[in-house]
Amino acid sequence: MPIHRRAFLAVALTATLAACAGRPEPPPAAARPSVEIRPSSTPPAAAPSLSTTDSAWIEISIAMDEQLLPLLDLAASRAARPALRELAAQVRTRTQKELAALRRLHDAAGLPAENPHKGMPMPGMVTPEQVAEAAAATGAAFDTLVRTHLEAHLTQCVHLIGSLLKTGSAPQVVTVADTMKANAEYALEKMGTRHSGSP
């Protein structure tokens, strides 16, 4: 599938997720394009076992995780609250493992080395500007920025996977997605997003 076609699929990937989760739509698409997984039965030529939905999710997840790591690197050493430092270190370790699994899926699917979603503004995507803003902050202000961006990333991860798992994905994709969803939900719970006692 041409890069621009997958990019269109990705830019078509969070309106449905927001609707499924009962959340409001993100800001206007012109300023912050949303992403929505759309079911598709048409497999990419290089990987007949994976749908275009699977391929788009793999690429988007790689881009999101890669751009999260610099923020986690900062948080693991600079967060004012010990519990947040510990959580950031845990999420960083799990994110690195997720990336290894996603890259194996990417290579097995024969997807292009150039990721069309890298740097794409979308809900949950940590930007270089956000990392720079956090790097310039200290103390409670730093912790607030980290929590805000990390929560947005994890929440979007859960939404994307929830949408993905409704499309009849390949078993190897489901295995990775299930693990990522469990990791994200655990981190959100530790942050107090669903329970009290946030770090």
Side-chain angles (χ1 to χ4, degrees), residues 11 14-15 24-35 121-123:
V11 172
T14 286
E25 292 290 338
R32 187 179 181 81
S34 61
V35 192
M122 67 179 79

Coordinates of all heavy atoms in Angstrom, one line a residue, residues 11 14-15 24-35 121-123:
V11 N -4.9 8.9 9.3 CA -5.6 10.2 9.6 C -7.1 9.9 9.7 O -7.8 10.7 10.3 CB -5.3 11.2 8.6 CG1 -6.1 12.5 8.7 CG2 -3.8 11.6 8.7
T14 N -9.0 8.1 15.0 CA -9.4 8.3 16.4 C -10.9 8.8 16.5 O -11.4 8.8 17.6 CB -8.5 9.3 17.1 OG1 -7.3 8.5 17.4 CG2 -9.0 9.8 18.5
A15 N -11.5 9.3 15.5 CA -12.9 9.7 15.6 C -13.8 8.5 16.0 O -14.6 8.6 16.9 CB -13.4 10.2 14.2
P24 N -15.2 13.1 24.0 CA -15.4 14.1 22.9 C -14.3 14.0 21.9 O -13.2 13.5 22.2 CB -15.2 15.4 23.8 CG -14.5 15.0 25.0 CD -14.9 13.6 25.3
E25 N -14.6 14.5 20.7 CA -13.6 14.5 19.6 C -12.4 15.4 20.0 O -12.6 16.4 20.7 CB -14.2 15.1 18.3 CG -15.3 14.1 17.7 CD -14.6 12.9 17.2 OE1 -13.4 12.9 16.9 OE2 -15.3 11.9 17.1
P26 N -11.2 15.1 19.5 CA -10.1 16.0 19.8 C -10.3 17.3 19.1 O -11.2 17.5 18.3 CB -8.9 15.2 19.2 CG -9.5 14.2 18.4 CD -10.9 13.9 18.8
P27 N -9.3 18.3 19.2 CA -9.4 19.6 18.6 C -9.6 19.4 17.1 O -9.3 18.4 16.5 CB -8.1 20.3 18.9 CG -7.7 19.6 20.2 CD -8.2 18.2 20.1
P28 N -10.0 20.5 16.4 CA -10.2 20.5 14.9 C -9.1 19.8 14.2 O -8.0 19.9 14.4 CB -10.3 21.9 14.5 CG -10.7 22.6 15.8 CD -10.1 21.9 16.9
A29 N -9.5 19.0 13.2 CA -8.6 18.2 12.4 C -7.5 19.0 11.8 O -6.4 18.5 11.6 CB -9.4 17.4 11.4
A30 N -7.8 20.2 11.4 CA -6.8 21.0 10.7 C -5.7 21.3 11.6 O -4.5 21.4 11.2 CB -7.5 22.4 10.3
A31 N -5.9 21.4 12.9 CA -4.9 21.8 13.9 C -4.3 20.5 14.5 O -3.1 20.5 14.7 CB -5.4 22.6 15.0
R32 N -5.1 19.5 14.6 CA -4.6 18.2 15.3 C -5.3 17.1 14.7 O -6.3 16.6 15.3 CB -4.8 18.4 16.8 CG -4.2 17.2 17.6 CD -4.4 17.4 19.1 NE -3.9 16.4 19.9 CZ -2.6 16.4 20.2 NH1 -1.8 17.3 19.8 NH2 -2.1 15.4 21.0
P33 N -4.9 16.5 13.6 CA -5.6 15.5 12.9 C -5.8 14.3 13.8 O -4.9 13.9 14.5 CB -4.8 15.1 11.7 CG -3.4 15.7 12.0 CD -3.6 16.8 12.9
S34 N -7.0 13.7 13.8 CA -7.2 12.5 14.6 C -7.0 11.3 13.8 O -6.8 11.3 12.6 CB -8.7 12.5 15.2 OG -9.6 12.5 14.1
V35 N -6.9 10.2 14.5 CA -6.6 8.9 13.9 C -7.7 7.9 14.2 O -8.1 7.8 15.4 CB -5.2 8.4 14.4 CG1 -4.8 7.2 13.6 CG2 -4.2 9.5 14.4
P121 N 1.0 14.8 14.1 CA 0.3 15.2 15.3 C -1.0 14.5 15.5 O -1.8 14.4 14.5 CB 0.1 16.7 15.0 CG 0.1 16.8 13.6 CD 1.1 15.8 13.1
M122 N -1.2 13.8 16.6 CA -2.4 13.1 16.8 C -2.6 12.9 18.3 O -1.6 13.1 19.1 CB -2.4 11.7 16.2 CG -1.3 10.7 16.8 SD -1.3 9.1 16.0 CE -0.4 9.5 14.5
P123 N -3.8 12.6 18.8 CA -4.0 12.5 20.3 C -3.0 11.4 20.8 O -2.8 10.4 20.3 CB -5.4 12.0 20.4 CG -6.1 12.5 19.1 CD -5.0 12.5 18.1

